[in-house]
């Protein structure tokens, strides 16, 4: 059985995307799926980043996928802000080792 995790990231506000890396600890002979959604923390969705939901499918043999979240860079200097990518509902052949990741947006 595979375990799924997602990495915390730091991203400059001038970047167009926050790119999360989602990983399996081992490959599986069958496809592995997991749902994801962004969740506001101190960053505001649709103001600092675009809210995103979806699902990932790891084909047999795949171990790494990415989720790309669009950032909406501001023109005003701000303190660092953050939002989360939350994983949920893994397929029956997988479990969540680390079900959320924090994206810190650095101004």
């Amino acid at each position: 059985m595979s375990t799924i995790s997602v990495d915390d990231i730091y991203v400059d506000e001038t970047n167009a995307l926050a790119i999360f890396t989602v990983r399996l600890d081992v490959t599986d002979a069958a496809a592995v799926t997991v749902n994801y959604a962004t969740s506001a923390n101190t960053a505001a969705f649709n103001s600092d980043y675009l809210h995103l939901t979806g699902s990932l499918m790891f084909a047999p043999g795949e171990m790494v996928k990415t989720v790309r979240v669009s950032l909406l860079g501001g023109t005003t200097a701000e303190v660092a802000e953050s939002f989360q990518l939350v994983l949920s509902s893994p397929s029956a052949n997988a479990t969540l080792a680390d079900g959320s990741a924090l994206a810190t947006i650095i101004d």
Side-chain angles (χ1 to χ4, degrees), residues 10-107:
Y10 291 87
V11 61
D12 189 282
E13 187 176 42
T14 60
N15 291 353
L17 296 171
I19 302 173
F20 292 92
T21 302
V22 182
R23 304 175 192 277
L24 298 181
D25 66 332
V26 295
T27 60
D28 200 294
V32 172
T33 60
V34 65
N35 296 332
Y36 63 83
T38 55
S39 176
N41 194 0
T42 56
F45 72 88
N46 296 333
S47 176
D48 294 310
Y49 69 96
L50 291 180
H51 179 63
L52 184 66
T53 63
S55 63
L56 295 173
M57 186 189 77
F58 294 85
E62 284 187 307
M63 294 181 69
V64 177
K65 292 284 190 181
T66 58
V67 175
R68 299 169 187 270
V69 180
S70 295
L71 298 179
L72 305 171
T75 57
T76 308
E78 301 174 290
V79 297
E81 298 174 305
S82 62
F83 66 96
Q84 290 184 305
L85 183 73
V86 179
L87 305 179
S88 64
S89 304
S91 53
N93 56 337
T95 60
L96 294 176
D98 180 2
S100 68
L102 187 68
T104 302
I105 304 169
I106 306 297
D107 195 11

Side-chain angles (χ1 to χ4, degrees), residues 2-18:
S2 299
T3 61
I4 305 168
S5 62
V6 59
D7 298 335
D8 293 339
I9 60 173
Y10 291 87
V11 61
D12 189 282
E13 187 176 42
T14 60
N15 291 353
L17 296 171

